[in-house]
Amino acid sequence: LNILVDTGSSNFAVAGVPDPDVTSYFNTALSSTYKSQGIDVTVKYSQGSWTGVLGTDVITIPKGIYGSYTINIATILESENFFLPGVKWHGILGLAYNALAKPSSSVETFFDSLVRQAKIPNIFSLQMCGAGLPVSGSGTNGGSLVLGGIEPSLYKGDIWYTPIKEEWYYQVEILKLEVGGQNLELDCREYNADKAIVDSGTTLLRLPQKVFTAVVQAIARTSLIQEFSSGFWTGSQLACWDKTERPWSLFPKLSIYLRDENSSRSFRISVLPQLYIQPILGIGENLQCYRFGISSSTNALVIGATVMEGFYVIFDRAQRRVGFAVSPCAEVDGSPVSEIEGPFTTTDVASNCVSSVSFHEPVLWIASYALMSLCGIILLILIILLLIPPRCQHRYTDNDMVNDESSLVRHRWK
């Protein structure tokens, strides 16, 4: 089975029944080692969702990590907008922290199981390739996932590290953005509203609305194109050029500044237009059409595949940091399309660009349990009052009754 590697979720799940959009699935009845836990699980992503059943099975790693290991695996029984037409993958490998695991953080993640049983270092690294290649949705552009370490042949130059701010997603701190070398001049907290994460399972670079608007305006202002349809920026329209043309020279470089491990310093990762002006496969005979690889977001800045395809990214969980180095496969026509530079001083930005209050799931659940405990105390008091002799009670009429069918926690957030 082909598996989507996702650093923005924490469940390992594969198709468990036939589906019109998948070519293969895991038939648990034919596995002598699979054991169902009988626990239903539902995972919702920013796009798509699935429902299945948790179980365990035995896996082996084909290269480098010898032995057999028992891991949690969910079999997907129903899904919506998850398996899509034309995709060539049959499941997802969530590599984020157990705080995001469903149905609860007590479900040990795939990588945690491997670290515990195989005794490998608590670090993995990811090289996603595909820069300048037409977008087909098949996920066949190649790359490498290294479990337990760093592979020197997969990067060039130095590795620059930024601290992980919260261990749920791989949340980092972004200090500023530049378009064509010009600072957007936004408050740095805008870049981290309400979080900034590194997520291989997100296709595009996603920006909070205010940041997205500023980036689009800056690109439009500094590009060599006078008139441009607004539909291109919002993702509803493609832009097409003659196949002999390379439109990338018309657009500026985009730079993201991350706080260094030394908090008084920063470094920047830059992507050239070859990464965010993306060719689309099979549209037009004499034309090559492109999409905008950046979109707006309502709840996060997401460094997705649009940016990650330029870098070898190290998820150093042991030292609570994410590293970036230039990837050798990030080249188009023999020229690099990504850069890393630093160090820079951070005197021009706030000492902390991340809100001190993190509204993520564990906090929401703690708040919910606290509210439910309070309601329980109030209910207990009401029961005691109802048991007091009638002369002490107020006779309620129908007009006094309030029917409240609302739930304290109706939806979980991801």
Side-chain angles (χ1 to χ4, degrees), residues 280-346:
I280 298 292
L281 197 65
I283 298 178
E285 289 186 16
N286 300 313
L287 297 175
Q288 176 64 64
C289 297
Y290 298 79
R291 74 176 181 190
F292 190 43
I294 305 173
S295 69
S296 62
S297 167
T298 57
N299 61 353
L301 187 153
V302 185
I303 297 175
T306 290
V307 175
M308 291 181 71
E309 285 182 350
F311 303 95
Y312 181 48
V313 186
I314 296 97
F315 297 85
D316 187 347
R317 296 152 59 102
Q319 298 192 58
R320 195 170 167 161
R321 60 185 186 173
V322 175
F324 293 86
V326 171
S327 169
C329 73
E331 292 187 349
V332 175
D333 298 330
S335 299
V337 293
S338 60
E339 303 168 354
I340 297 184
E341 296 159 293
F344 303 100
T345 179
T346 59

Side-chain angles (χ1 to χ4, degrees), residues 152-373:
S153 67
L154 299 182
Y155 70 95
K156 299 186 294 186
D158 296 327
I159 300 172
W160 290 82
Y161 287 98
T162 186
I164 294 171
K165 301 296 289 186
E166 288 280 345
E167 293 172 304
W168 55 323
Y169 297 94
Y170 292 97
Q171 182 179 353
V172 296
E173 183 180 10
I174 292 175
L175 305 186
K176 61 182 176 180
L177 262 65
E178 287 179 350
V179 174
Q182 297 298 307
N183 189 352
L184 292 184
E185 301 291 353
L186 294 176
D187 185 318
C188 68
R189 285 169 293 193
E190 298 285 356
Y191 303 123
N192 300 280
D194 58 358
K195 57 186 174 289
I197 63 174
V198 183
D199 179 6
S200 64
T202 294
T203 306
L204 307 181
L205 168 61
R206 304 190 71 209
L207 304 173
Q209 186 61 56
K210 190 171 180 179
V211 179
F212 176 75
T213 301
V215 165
V216 167
Q217 289 174 348
I219 292 175
R221 188 169 60 247
T222 56
S223 73
L224 300 177
I225 301 172
Q226 299 302 316
E227 296 292 330
F228 224 84
S229 167
S230 62
F232 175 71
W233 307 118
T234 59
S236 61
Q237 288 181 297
L238 300 177
C240 302
W241 283 268
D242 188 276
K243 281 191 173 178
T244 59
E245 295 184 59
R246 286 289 184 266
W248 296 314
S249 62
L250 305 173
F251 293 89
K253 179 169 66 177
L254 177 65
S255 300
I256 300 171
Y257 284 74
L258 294 153
R259 195 179 296 278
D260 187 68
E261 287 187 287
N262 177 343
S263 61
S264 64
R265 305 192 316 178
S266 68
F267 64 94
R268 71 179 175 218
I269 58 174
S270 300
V271 294
L272 274 61
Q274 286 88 331
L275 285 171
Y276 72 82
I277 303 295
Q278 302 169 343
I280 298 292
L281 197 65
I283 298 178
E285 289 186 16
N286 300 313
L287 297 175
Q288 176 64 64
C289 297
Y290 298 79
R291 74 176 181 190
F292 190 43
I294 305 173
S295 69
S296 62
S297 167
T298 57
N299 61 353
L301 187 153
V302 185
I303 297 175
T306 290
V307 175
M308 291 181 71
E309 285 182 350
F311 303 95
Y312 181 48
V313 186
I314 296 97
F315 297 85
D316 187 347
R317 296 152 59 102
Q319 298 192 58
R320 195 170 167 161
R321 60 185 186 173
V322 175
F324 293 86
V326 171
S327 169
C329 73
E331 292 187 349
V332 175
D333 298 330
S335 299
V337 293
S338 60
E339 303 168 354
I340 297 184
E341 296 159 293
F344 303 100
T345 179
T346 59
T347 54
D348 58 336
V349 294
S351 59
N352 184 17
C353 297
V354 179
S355 172
S356 57
V357 180
S358 296
F359 295 100
H360 55 79
E361 273 187 300
V363 174
L364 285 172
W365 279 104
I366 291 168
S368 301
Y369 288 137
L371 283 170
M372 284 189 279
S373 299

